[in-house]
Amino acid sequence: MSTTATPEASSTPSTSPGDPATQPPASVSFAEAFRFWLKLGFISFGGPAGQIAIMHTELVERRRWISEQRFLHALNYCMLLPGPEAQQLATYIGWLMHRTWGGIVAGALFVLPSLFILIALSWIYLRFGDVPLVAGLFFGLKPAVTALVLHAAHRIGTRALKNRWMWGIAAASFIAIFAFDTPFPAIVLAAGLIGHLGARRWPQVFALGGGHGSAKASYGPALIDDHTPTPAHARFSRSHLGRVLGVGLGLWALAMAVLVAVDGLQGTLTQMGWFFTKAALLTFGGAYAVLPYVYQGAVDTHQWLSGPQMIDGLALGETTPGPLIMVVAFVGFVGGWLKQALGPDALFLGGALAATVVTFFTFLPSFVFILAGGPVVEATHGKLGFTAPLSAITAAVVGVILNLAMFFAYHVLWPQGFGGRFDGLSALICAGAALALFRFKVGVLPLLGACAAIGLAAHWLVPLVR
């Protein structure tokens, strides 16, 4: 294992006049990189956009470990893969700098702090959820989460729905899941097939809209610069590809075998491992895209938790560092607790083990995609035959997320069902949160903090007024 990241060839990129940085930074030791990735795991708030912005500021602008162009190239690659792109970007850069173990450490430290925090918060939620303080906080958070999901549909839609064909795919996916309860994997498969076939006849319809653009800024010479040759370990090799795929599949099979031996084929932990393996392969378009599938399986099929608990989990996921898809750790903890995965006398340990199992199976494919598929996917980047199915899938995801927003709104605004009362206060909080997001571009954490405070105040004041 290499312990330092060094350029393999000298390069002389241009710098702006007056730029004080005229020499690339010194080699970065594995220990120094480890400390940075650990810090990143605790400060990576703000969803994918915020996390990518933090990495750009730290790695491109301030530390100059990697150039703008190489950073964007890695980001565009990660955007083509299923899974959390920010975590995969960290894995990619760690791998580029310090080989396999560098990627594993960078990706794991991006996730582990969030896992520990969510285990603690999930325990507090289940143990003290009926306490007025906690109930008040979630009363304000639930409408905010509804607004956030609606805003996510709008944000992804503005990028993906570039013509009437894409609008049609989004509308069809919404109707399929809303009216016919079509499984999410079937929608993804159909959309990918449409993109694959449509690109041959109407290539202009399915062309990507430029991704993340090209590099324009220069922050001085970087350790891994624009013209630094690709390191030997990052070049395509069939033996390396086979080795990484073999290790990845072996780890998956070993973990599943242990779960089957301990918990049985129909046990809660085994079913979680299998279900979240499938979920990990369907996360095109970010965490919001896979949440409908997680809801279908976790709430409807396996009944690991209820619909309102799913909304509460998303609220917790929004307020913790790490990828938003870490909400699956909450799903695992609640399911392991309620299903008594380790028996009635070990509820916390059962929940913590289930959260760990879910996290392992959710993120294992992401490491395999980067460590094994990086050189392969880089060679196909920008080719329409590869990207067209992803364009169609992203369009379909917009309709699926819109359905998720409607589901959340139903549970928040009519907590007892359509036959019960309409919650006007929750509607006001939801409308205010939507206005803050769409009109004033308020950040996620300030928005959630304000809504939680409003919910807490309302929970205390409303009974006094009545």
Side-chain angles (χ1 to χ4, degrees):
M1 178 183 70
S2 173
T3 58
T4 58
T6 56
E8 295 193 1
S10 62
S11 58
T12 57
S14 61
T15 57
S16 302
D19 191 338
T22 57
Q23 297 294 326
S27 299
V28 179
S29 68
F30 187 86
E32 182 181 354
F34 182 96
R35 289 191 294 270
F36 169 76
W37 298 122
L38 179 62
K39 170 188 171 184
L40 181 65
F42 283 99
I43 66 171
S44 55
F45 291 94
Q51 293 155 359
I52 291 168
I54 291 171
M55 279 191 280
H56 185 275
T57 299
E58 289 287 333
L59 299 179
V60 177
E61 299 178 32
R62 193 166 79 83
R63 302 172 188 263
R64 292 185 291 123
W65 288 359
I66 188 170
S67 70
E68 172 97 351
Q69 191 175 77
R70 296 292 285 267
F71 181 89
L72 291 176
H73 180 70
L75 176 57
N76 284 332
Y77 163 29
C78 295
M79 288 291 292
L80 296 176
L81 299 171
E85 61 266 28
Q87 185 263 351
Q88 289 174 333
L89 179 62
T91 306
Y92 186 101
I93 296 174
W95 163 68
L96 199 60
M97 294 181 64
H98 294 108
R99 306 174 68 89
T100 299
W101 277 109
I104 292 173
V105 165
L109 291 180
F110 198 88
V111 170
L112 287 178
S114 178
L115 173 62
F116 296 138
I117 293 170
L118 274 173
I119 287 175
L121 291 177
S122 300
W123 176 77
I124 293 172
Y125 171 80
L126 288 173
R127 186 71 177 80
F128 305 104
D130 292 331
V131 174
L133 173 63
V134 178
L137 290 174
F138 278 99
F139 180 79
L141 287 174
K142 288 179 181 179
V145 167
T146 303
L148 282 168
V149 176
L150 184 62
H151 185 251
H154 175 266
R155 188 177 67 247
I156 297 173
T158 55
R159 186 179 74 240
L161 308 183
K162 298 297 186 181
N163 52 61
R164 68 177 187 273
W165 296 99
M166 294 300 180
W167 276 95
I169 292 173
S173 72
F174 173 79
I175 293 171
I177 196 168
F178 177 78
F180 301 103
D181 201 24
T182 304
F184 182 60
I187 294 175
V188 170
L189 182 62
L193 187 60
I194 291 172
H196 174 72
L197 298 176
R200 298 182 177 183
R201 180 134 187 209
W202 304 286
Q204 72 282 0
V205 171
F206 295 93
L208 288 175
H212 286 265
S214 57
K216 292 187 174 76
S218 176
Y219 303 97
L223 187 62
I224 302 176
D225 219 330
D226 294 351
H227 306 290
T228 303
T230 300
H233 69 270
R235 296 172 188 155
F236 176 74
S237 164
R238 290 183 180 178
S239 61
H240 173 76
L241 175 64
R243 187 164 57 250
V244 174
L245 287 176
V247 171
L249 289 173
L251 286 173
W252 180 89
L254 177 62
M256 285 298 296
V258 170
L259 292 180
V260 170
V262 173
D263 201 34
L265 194 60
Q266 298 301 319
T268 297
L269 297 177
T270 305
Q271 290 299 307
M272 284 182 174
W274 174 240
F275 174 77
F276 284 100
T277 296
K278 294 183 290 182
L281 302 176
L282 296 170
T283 50
F284 293 98
Y288 283 111
V290 79
L291 284 176
Y293 177 63
V294 173
Y295 167 78
Q296 282 183 333
V299 177
D300 290 340
T301 305
H302 297 286
Q303 298 179 341
W304 292 324
L305 75 173
S306 66
Q309 286 175 329
M310 184 74 184
I311 304 174
D312 294 341
L314 186 56
L316 286 178
E318 291 277 13
T319 57
T320 54
L324 180 58
I325 193 60
M326 281 302 296
V327 68
V328 301
F330 173 86
V331 173
F333 188 95
V334 174
W337 178 292
L338 297 180
K339 296 293 185 180
Q340 302 180 358
L342 294 181
D345 297 325
L347 295 180
F348 174 80
L349 291 178
L353 178 59
T356 304
V357 166
V358 163
T359 302
F360 174 82
F361 284 100
T362 298
F363 285 93
L364 177 62
S366 289
F367 286 98
V368 174
F369 289 144
I370 297 298
L371 299 178
V376 178
V377 178
E378 276 197 348
T380 61
H381 180 69
K383 294 184 178 180
L384 186 61
F386 183 80
T387 60
L390 300 181
S391 297
I393 290 171
T394 304
V397 157
V398 176
V400 173
I401 297 175
L402 182 60
N403 175 73
L404 183 69
M406 292 184 63
F407 163 78
F408 281 1
Y410 164 73
H411 281 278
V412 169
L413 303 182
W414 288 273
Q416 284 84 40
F418 282 126
R421 66 176 181 85
F422 175 77
D423 194 330
L425 184 56
S426 291
L428 285 175
I429 297 175
C430 184
L435 181 65
L437 287 168
F438 284 94
R439 176 67 178 84
F440 299 105
K441 314 299 182 186
V442 175
V444 172
L445 288 180
L447 175 75
L448 292 174
C451 290
I454 293 171
L456 185 60
H459 206 73
W460 284 104
L461 293 176
V462 169
L464 296 178
V465 173
R466 291 174 180 172

